[in-house]
Amino acid sequence: MDKGPHLIKKIPDMMNIVKVHKQNQIIGFVPTMGFLHKGHISLIQSARKDNDIVVVSIFVNPKQFAPNEDIDRYPRNIKRDIEICREQGVDYIFYPCAEEMYPNGFQTSVSLSELTKGLCGKSRPTHFSGVTTVLTKLFNIIQPDNVYFGQKDAQQAVIVKQMIKDLNYPITMHILPIIREDNGIAMSSRNKYLSAGQMKNAEVLNKSLKLAETLIKQGERNCNRLKKIIYHKIENENRNSNANIKIDYIEIVNFDNLQPIENVRTNTLIAIAVFIGQTRLIDNIVIK
Ligand code: AMP
């Protein structure tokens, strides 16, 4: 067989390919919405190390966008994505269209009752059921042994871990660290929306998390005080620019169950979401 990546657009084709490999090979799967960057590449590289076969999906999933979130604006570049996958030794790119995944009459949704309520779930109430519905389909189609997710989307990672457990998928989940630009900004396809000035403003997300981390190292444990400090850092940092910055949330929770906590302890997640102009960015750190 010639070298990959093979671009597969139809579900039955993907399932037939998987059926053959499943007999004696380990399959690693990296779900993405494309417009690949170094964050995605780090997941692909881990998958390449652990598995015989690597499948990357590229699907801008309409079910995880609310009507006001403008899915049509989401950046895409399939040619470049194919090239990146080729360089990384990906075997298959699963690249279905929306009608392939959600044909007329589609009516099932998969959702979790508790983990989706807080953090991003508050301002994006339908987002996570879109994510878990598409992942259920993708897991059934690709039947991976290993799946790779980024800590960048920390709530998503916790939700998927729970879904894998609840639905008895025989899948091992790997959560990999956040890959950042040189200036500390978490890599994201959505950074494409930012002007040079906004990119500079966006540095405050990581800076405020770093400040919290330093204070924790110095002994601060009180989550309310830490949240206030992060809040003021974000509010003050760009005071003198004409940046349009709005905090969506600052939360400090247990990374296992996303429950708010009063005092920092091991495995604490500090997660923030901030609008820079119209673009909503997320970032987080985990205090080990
Ligand atoms: P997306 O294409 O944005 O849906 O992301 C696909 C996967 O890549 C998700 O598991 C993300 O958490 C992960 N990811 C996105 N950005 C980063 C990053 N900067 N570092 C590590 N993983 C990332």
Side-chain angles (χ1 to χ4, degrees), residues 267-286:
N267 219 23
T268 290
L269 171 72
I270 308 183
I272 62 179
V274 177
F275 283 94
I276 309 281
Q278 302 293 309
T279 306
R280 184 175 174 281
L281 299 178
I282 55 172
D283 201 348
N284 68 78
I285 49 168
V286 174

Side-chain angles (χ1 to χ4, degrees), residues 189-232:
S189 310
R190 288 191 166 87
N191 292 349
K192 173 98 171 45
Y193 300 143
L194 303 176
S195 67
Q198 288 177 322
M199 203 62 184
K200 191 88 197 119
N201 300 143
E203 288 177 17
V204 73
L205 277 85
N206 183 236
K207 278 189 191 165
S208 66
L209 292 169
K210 282 258 186 239
L211 172 63
E213 192 177 32
T214 304
L215 293 170
I216 292 165
K217 276 191 189 136
Q218 290 168 357
E220 179 62 87
R221 290 289 176 271
N222 184 288
C223 293
N224 273 336
R225 275 203 297 269
L226 284 164
K227 283 202 274 189
K228 278 193 190 128
I229 289 164
I230 295 172
Y231 180 90
H232 289 299

Side-chain angles (χ1 to χ4, degrees), residues 8-287:
I8 312 297
K9 295 185 177 176
K10 296 289 174 203
I11 294 172
D13 293 344
M14 192 71 242
M15 292 182 88
N16 282 333
I17 288 165
V18 163
K19 203 169 171 182
V20 173
H21 288 298
K22 263 314 240 190
Q23 292 168 7
N24 57 358
Q25 288 176 302
I26 301 290
I27 299 178
F29 174 44
V30 183
T32 82
M33 297 205 297
F35 208 69
L36 303 179
H37 52 66
K38 286 182 187 159
H40 300 113
I41 292 174
S42 88
L43 307 185
I44 294 171
Q45 288 176 340
S46 278
R48 190 61 284 171
K49 273 196 215 111
D50 302 344
N51 301 276
D52 301 312
I53 297 295
V54 174
V55 183
V56 171
S57 65
I58 296 179
F59 181 58
V60 184
N61 174 28
K63 289 206 184 290
Q64 67 192 70
F65 287 77
N68 64 326
E69 288 179 345
D70 199 3
I71 184 174
D72 295 332
R73 236 183 110 220
Y74 195 84
R76 294 162 169 89
N77 190 340
I78 186 66
K79 270 201 179 140
R80 198 169 139 266
D81 289 348
I82 292 171
E83 223 21 72
I84 290 172
C85 287
R86 188 185 320 278
E87 283 163 16
Q88 299 303 325
V90 169
D91 297 293
Y92 299 98
I93 300 174
F94 183 50
Y95 182 57
C97 64
E99 294 70 34
E100 182 71 10
M101 291 296 271
Y102 306 119
N104 269 344
F106 185 91
Q107 52 187 293
T108 301
S109 95
V110 176
S111 57
L112 282 75
S113 55
E114 303 304 319
L115 291 171
T116 52
K117 280 184 180 156
L119 305 162
C120 292
K122 267 195 191 141
S123 56
R124 305 185 76 193
T126 56
H127 170 70
F128 287 114
S129 74
V131 171
T132 44
T133 299
V134 80
L135 286 176
T136 301
K137 284 180 69 81
L138 291 169
F139 289 175
N140 291 337
I141 294 164
I142 291 159
Q143 298 180 49
D145 299 283
N146 293 295
V147 290
Y148 298 81
F149 287 84
Q151 185 201 304
K152 158 88 194 325
D153 299 273
Q155 183 175 17
Q156 169 176 281
V158 176
I159 287 169
V160 175
K161 198 160 114 193
Q162 185 70 42
M163 183 185 94
I164 287 174
K165 185 170 172 224
D166 288 350
L167 299 184
N168 305 102
Y169 278 112
I171 293 176
T172 304
M173 178 164 179
H174 304 260
I175 303 173
L176 295 165
I178 302 176
I179 305 295
R180 298 180 178 282
E181 307 278 0
D182 290 342
N183 58 10
I185 297 180
M187 291 207 173
S188 164
S189 310
R190 288 191 166 87
N191 292 349
K192 173 98 171 45
Y193 300 143
L194 303 176
S195 67
Q198 288 177 322
M199 203 62 184
K200 191 88 197 119
N201 300 143
E203 288 177 17
V204 73
L205 277 85
N206 183 236
K207 278 189 191 165
S208 66
L209 292 169
K210 282 258 186 239
L211 172 63
E213 192 177 32
T214 304
L215 293 170
I216 292 165
K217 276 191 189 136
Q218 290 168 357
E220 179 62 87
R221 290 289 176 271
N222 184 288
C223 293
N224 273 336
R225 275 203 297 269
L226 284 164
K227 283 202 274 189
K228 278 193 190 128
I229 289 164
I230 295 172
Y231 180 90
H232 289 299
K233 176 80 179 165
I234 297 173
E235 289 280 300
N236 292 332
E237 183 84 359
N238 290 298
R239 180 148 284 175
N240 294 328
S241 76
N242 54 5
N244 173 13
I245 293 182
K246 203 177 115 243
I247 298 171
D248 181 14
Y249 68 76
I250 299 165
E251 297 284 359
I252 305 186
V253 299
N254 179 337
F255 191 31
D256 289 323
N257 58 18
L258 304 180
Q259 286 302 305
I261 51 177
E262 281 176 22
N263 291 297
V264 174
R265 47 188 177 193
T266 50
N267 219 23
T268 290
L269 171 72
I270 308 183
I272 62 179
V274 177
F275 283 94
I276 309 281
Q278 302 293 309
T279 306
R280 184 175 174 281
L281 299 178
I282 55 172
D283 201 348
N284 68 78
I285 49 168
V286 174
I287 307 297

